[in-house]
């Protein structure tokens, strides 16, 4: 297979380059008449060729005020990042990378090209020393000359790293970026590029895969900066299809919320590990067997002559998608004007309060409810409620959050507080305060609720204590003639022993039986509580519930002949069962993990995972009998895994 055929083959079936366009860098390179190289970031793919490094500067003669493009290509198995030395009078700024795969005679080679923008600050001759990369040797020195600029200018002020030329294409755009023929790329959608410390905003993380690319997620998107925090992402992202410049893409979208942690200008970078399967044309003759047919069986739809001719082998390649590192400006909260009750809430909120009743009695509690509605970081929305006073006795309020969107950035936080009136009459529940920082206005805001009037009645008085009897209360008829009270009869009660009650046998036996019963009941209760709180048991029960739900989803998809939903549910069922056995999150149960832990076994399980990816990214169709065959295979595998 020659080079041209290899490139065409990889373009149609695998991820050949992971590119995130850098518009400023492309414009700068085009203005100089040099070839525009879209920057990318990628994890190199292993090959058997010896690592090598080369560098090229275009143009090698320029005027002051212009810039040149420095392209450093690292080729081979260990495609490490180059070490570009600093040169006095030159600004050498990285603007991106380009990665490509090349297959010649079955050998896959990875090339990573690092793109730099070289801008001189004065005229004269310059030499960029040898550039080295670990395990790849070094390049020869590069010499070039800079002539006077317009108006005879011989010097220019150095820029502050030219932040304006750094990419910002993945931030604050409502439409997908121009893919420029990329097979896969990653982008982040934020509502704005300036945040305040503590501000929480909705965010979308989107991974684009060209239709026909065979790839699977090898984890979740991860932040690479400590200036931000990202809420938990779902293991089951939303999957849609989009067309970019007439090219169909499968889009995997995670919806979450992003929060700024510290002030400053920081690039927002995320990484997404993926596993790409590079498919190679099989060699005819020699009794070779289709490996997909080995995976899926003789009755597989892949076991026909077309796929036998087209698919000869599958090679898995780990890759990493990256965002383009657009800079987000994070502003600190001002110290001036900060209210005393400010708890860190950042956003825009409204506050209301109401009582459970407008009348009551002393000693009987009323429920005071405070609703804080709006958009922002509700985890920092707190209040102490009504403070205790001479008129009101109060308790600590309870809180609950009712989200209004999937990102949990808008909704209502409800605080419920028990208050007890201590004085009767016309009383008033005082107004409540809540303070927050409004990032749009850039100021602190304090809002108060209205006072609530209540009518309090006096509660029932406690019964009077009985007074001791006096001589006047003694009936005159009970008095004797001499004025003395008559003797009171004393009932006769004989006892056979003077032994104390606590030493009586029946008393000891009865109390011992009660203590034993309490001890046994407490033991059973402790055992039941321990069994209910066993994390492994709860994890197994949750996994079994998820497996049963996935099987039900498979059956529903089978009835509707929805192959994509069917295989997604089948993979999820196997992931949950294996994750419970291996004690790991279900999202980490991937094809490489299965191959490692099952020692090369579990071909049927891997076949389900691979088929799910094939359908998700290529739109392959299955008939009802085929789906029923897969349903039986998955059920059998679940039973076998349960017995292990």
């Amino acid at each position: 297979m020659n080079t041209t055929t290899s490139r065409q083959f990889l373009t149609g079936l695998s991820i050949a380059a992971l590119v995130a366009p850098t518009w400023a860098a492309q414009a700068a390179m085009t203005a100089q008449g040099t070839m525009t190289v879209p920057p990318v970031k990628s994890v190199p793919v292993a090959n058997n060729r010896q690592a090598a490094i080369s560098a090229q500067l275009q143009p090698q003669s320029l005027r002051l005020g212009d810039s040149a493009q420095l392209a450093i290509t690292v080729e081979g198995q260990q495609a490490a990042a180059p070490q570009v030395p600093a040169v006095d009078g030159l600004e050498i700024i990285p603007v991106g990378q380009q990665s490509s795969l090349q297959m010649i005679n079955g050998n896959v080679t990875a090339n990573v090209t690092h793109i730099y923008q070289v801008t001189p600050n004065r005229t004269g001759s310059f030499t960029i020393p040898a550039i080295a990369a670990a395990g790849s040797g070094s390049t020869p020195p590069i010499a070039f000359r800079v002539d006077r600029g317009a108006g005879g200018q011989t010097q220019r002020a150095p820029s502050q790293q030219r932040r304006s030329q750094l990419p910002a294409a993945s931030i604050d755009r409502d439409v997908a970026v121009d893919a420029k023929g990329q097979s896969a790329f990653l982008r982040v959608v934020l509502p704005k590029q300036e945040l305040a410390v503590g501000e929480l905003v909705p965010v979308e993380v989107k991974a684009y895969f060209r239709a026909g690319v065979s790839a699977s997620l090898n984890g979740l998107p991860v932040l690479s900066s400590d200036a931000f925090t990202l809420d938990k992402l779902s293991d089951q992202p939303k999957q849609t299809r989009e067309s970019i410049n007439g090219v169909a893409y499968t889009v995997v979208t995670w919806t979450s919320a992003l929060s700024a942690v510290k002030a400053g200008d920081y690039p927002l970078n995320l990484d997404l590990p993926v596993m790409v399967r590079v498919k190679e044309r099989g060699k005819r003759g020699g009794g070779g067997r289709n490996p997909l047919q080995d995976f899926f069986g003789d009755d597989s739809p892949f076991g026909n002559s077309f796929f036998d001719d087209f698919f000869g082998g599958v090679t898995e390649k780990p890759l990493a998608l990256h965002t383009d590192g657009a800079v987000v400006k994070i502003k600190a909260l001002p110290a001036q004007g900060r209210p005393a009750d400010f708890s860190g809430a950042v956003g825009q909120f409204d506050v209301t309060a109401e009582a459970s009743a407008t009348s009551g009695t002393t000693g009987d509690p009323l429920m005071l409810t405070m609703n804080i509605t709006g958009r922002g970081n509700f985890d920092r929305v707190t209040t102490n409620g009504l403070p205790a006073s001479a008129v009101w006795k109060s308790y600590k309020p309870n809180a609950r959050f009712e989200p209004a969107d999937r990102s949990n950035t808008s909704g209502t936080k409800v605080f419920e507080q028990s208050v007890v009136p201590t004085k009767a009459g016309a009383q008033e529940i005082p107004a409540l305060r809540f303070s927050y920082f409004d990032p749009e206005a850039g100021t602190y805001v304090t809002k108060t609720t209205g006072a609530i009037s209540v009518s309090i009645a006096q509660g029932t008085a406690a019964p009077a204590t009985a007074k001791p009897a006096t001589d006047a209360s003694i009936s005159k008829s009970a008095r004797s003639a001499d004025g003395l009270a008559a003797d009171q009869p004393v009932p006769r009660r004989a006892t056979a022993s003077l032994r104390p009650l606590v030493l009586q046998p029946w008393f000891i036996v009865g109390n011992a039986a009660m203590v034993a019963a309490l001890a046994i009941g407490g033991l059973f209760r402790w055992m039941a509580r321990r069994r209910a709180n066993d994390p492994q048991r709860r994890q197994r029960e949750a996994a079994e519930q998820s497996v049963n739900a996935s099987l039900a989803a498979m059956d529903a998809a089978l009835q509707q002949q929805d192959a994509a939903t069917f295989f997604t549910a089948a993979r999820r069922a196997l992931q949950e069962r294996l994750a419970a056995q291996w004690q790991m999150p279900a999202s980490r149960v991937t094809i490489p993990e299965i191959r490692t832990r099952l020692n090369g076994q579990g071909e049927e399980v891997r076949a389900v995972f691979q088929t799910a990816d094939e359908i998700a990214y290529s739109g392959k169709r299955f008939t009802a009998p085929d789906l029923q065959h897969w349903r039986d295979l998955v059920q059998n595998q679940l039973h076998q895994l349960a017995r292990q």
Side-chain angles (χ1 to χ4, degrees):
M1 182 182 295
N2 56 33
T3 303
T4 303
T5 304
S6 301
R7 291 177 177 172
Q8 294 174 350
F9 176 73
L10 288 173
T11 301
L13 296 179
S14 63
I15 298 179
L18 304 180
V19 184
T22 305
W23 310 112
Q26 292 178 359
M29 298 304 108
T30 304
Q32 300 167 21
T34 61
M35 180 179 63
T36 302
V37 181
V40 306
K41 294 182 181 180
S42 174
V43 175
V45 181
N47 60 79
N48 297 325
R49 296 188 57 181
Q50 185 177 3
I53 183 173
S54 61
Q56 183 179 11
L57 181 71
Q58 292 183 353
Q60 294 188 353
S61 177
L62 66 158
R63 292 179 178 274
L64 186 66
D66 295 336
S67 298
Q69 172 185 310
L70 175 62
I72 305 172
T73 301
V74 183
E75 176 183 351
Q77 183 174 1
Q78 301 295 331
Q83 302 297 325
V84 180
V87 180
D88 183 36
L90 296 180
E91 291 182 7
I92 304 177
I93 302 173
V95 294
Q97 299 175 0
Q98 179 186 16
S99 177
S100 63
L101 301 179
Q102 186 180 38
M103 185 172 64
I104 302 177
N105 296 327
N107 295 324
V108 180
T109 302
N111 294 331
V112 181
T113 301
H114 302 261
I115 310 298
Y116 296 82
Q117 181 174 317
V118 180
T119 305
N121 293 327
R122 56 177 173 81
T123 60
S125 298
F126 295 89
T127 300
I128 300 177
I131 302 172
S136 302
S138 61
T139 68
I142 302 175
F144 66 100
R145 180 172 180 77
V146 179
D147 298 326
R148 292 184 179 183
Q153 182 183 6
T154 59
Q155 289 186 348
R156 63 179 292 274
S159 64
Q160 298 299 321
Q161 295 298 319
R162 294 199 162 191
R163 284 192 181 272
S164 61
Q165 296 186 8
L166 290 178
S170 67
I171 300 295
D172 196 19
R173 288 183 178 267
D174 296 330
V175 296
V177 295
D178 184 4
K180 301 294 184 183
Q182 303 170 55
S183 295
F185 59 95
L186 184 68
R187 63 186 294 262
V188 179
V189 180
L190 278 179
K192 55 183 179 178
Q193 290 180 250
E194 290 190 1
L195 303 176
V197 172
E199 184 176 1
L200 188 71
V201 294
V203 63
E204 284 187 346
V205 182
K206 293 188 172 184
Y208 289 78
F209 298 91
R210 179 182 295 177
V213 169
S214 178
S216 60
L217 303 179
N218 208 17
L220 296 176
V222 179
L223 278 171
S224 58
S225 173
D226 60 352
F228 309 92
T229 60
L230 189 66
D231 284 1
K232 181 180 178 182
L233 298 172
S234 172
D235 291 340
Q236 301 296 329
K238 181 181 178 181
Q239 184 172 307
T240 58
R241 290 187 179 272
E242 294 184 14
S243 178
I244 304 176
N245 293 337
V247 179
Y249 282 83
T250 296
V251 185
V252 181
T253 304
W254 292 268
T255 301
S256 184
L258 184 81
S259 178
V261 176
K262 56 183 180 181
D265 295 346
Y266 299 97
L268 177 57
N269 286 317
L270 284 89
D271 301 332
L272 174 64
V274 298
M275 185 68 68
V276 177
R277 284 183 287 280
V278 179
K279 302 166 186 177
E280 304 171 356
R281 186 179 296 274
K283 298 179 180 180
R284 305 298 294 170
R289 181 174 172 84
N290 185 346
L292 293 180
Q293 189 173 356
D294 292 337
F295 277 131
F296 303 135
D298 294 332
D299 296 332
S300 167
F302 301 102
N304 53 51
S305 59
F306 172 78
F307 285 97
D308 287 339
D309 292 337
F310 194 79
F311 295 102
V314 176
T315 303
E316 292 183 342
K317 303 295 182 182
L319 296 172
L321 304 184
H322 305 264
T323 56
D324 60 2
V327 175
V328 178
K329 183 177 181 62
I330 304 176
K331 299 180 293 185
L333 299 183
Q336 184 177 4
R338 180 177 299 179
D341 62 335
F342 176 67
S343 60
V346 178
Q348 295 174 329
F349 305 95
D350 288 322
V351 184
T352 60
E354 59 182 0
S356 59
T358 58
S359 62
T361 57
T362 57
D364 292 336
L366 297 175
M367 183 63 68
L368 177 62
T369 302
M370 181 178 181
N371 298 310
I372 300 179
T373 304
R375 176 182 57 83
N377 56 343
F378 280 93
D379 58 326
R380 301 299 300 272
V381 173
T382 60
T383 179
N384 293 325
L386 179 67
S389 63
V391 180
W392 297 97
K393 180 180 179 181
S394 61
Y395 298 88
K396 183 178 179 180
N398 297 320
R400 71 175 187 274
F401 177 57
E402 300 173 354
D405 58 11
R406 295 177 59 186
S407 62
N408 293 336
T409 57
S410 62
T412 301
K413 198 162 188 178
V414 181
F415 296 88
E416 294 179 336
Q417 182 182 22
S418 294
V419 294
V420 180
T422 58
K423 291 185 178 180
Q427 303 296 342
E428 186 178 75
I429 299 178
L432 303 177
R433 290 168 45 96
F434 174 70
S435 299
Y436 62 92
F437 180 79
D438 187 344
E440 303 298 333
T443 58
Y444 291 97
V445 179
T446 299
K447 292 190 175 181
T448 58
T449 64
I452 303 174
S453 299
V454 292
S455 177
I456 305 300
Q458 182 64 46
T460 303
T465 304
K467 296 182 179 180
T470 61
D471 291 343
S473 64
I474 301 176
S475 174
K476 293 181 179 181
S477 61
R479 295 178 180 272
S480 60
D482 57 2
L484 298 177
D487 293 336
Q488 299 295 323
V490 177
R492 295 182 179 181
R493 187 176 181 181
T495 179
S497 174
L498 296 178
R499 179 181 295 178
L501 178 64
V502 296
L503 297 181
Q504 296 292 335
W506 62 268
F507 184 85
I508 296 175
V509 172
N511 281 274
M514 292 176 60
V515 171
L518 290 174
I520 294 174
L523 178 62
F524 278 105
R525 185 178 180 182
W526 175 80
M527 293 176 63
R529 183 178 300 174
R530 180 179 179 182
R531 185 171 179 268
N533 295 331
D534 184 2
Q536 294 183 356
R537 178 176 175 271
R538 291 203 308 267
Q539 183 179 3
R540 289 194 301 269
E541 291 179 350
E544 287 303 318
Q545 292 177 359
S546 180
V547 168
N548 293 333
S550 298
L551 290 175
M554 289 173 58
D555 293 336
L558 177 61
Q559 295 296 328
Q560 300 178 2
Q561 296 188 18
D562 185 352
T565 303
F566 176 87
F567 279 98
T568 299
R571 176 170 53 187
R572 184 165 61 247
L574 293 171
Q575 280 180 320
E576 292 292 346
R577 179 61 55 83
L578 291 173
Q581 292 184 356
W582 297 342
Q583 296 183 0
M584 63 169 52
S587 60
R588 289 182 53 191
V589 180
T590 58
I591 292 177
E593 192 73 23
I594 294 172
R595 181 179 290 107
T596 301
R597 289 181 176 268
L598 297 182
N599 298 322
Q601 302 298 321
E603 293 183 356
E604 292 81 359
V605 176
R606 294 200 306 271
V608 173
F609 279 55
Q610 290 177 341
T611 306
D613 292 335
E614 291 288 344
I615 293 177
Y617 300 114
S618 63
K620 194 178 302 300
R621 297 181 178 273
F622 285 85
T623 63
D626 291 335
L627 294 179
Q628 184 61 49
H629 171 74
W630 283 101
R631 172 65 169 81
D632 298 338
L633 184 147
V634 171
Q635 186 71 45
N636 183 43
Q637 290 300 312
L638 290 174
H639 286 319
Q640 292 183 9
L641 292 173
R643 293 196 298 267
Q644 293 180 0

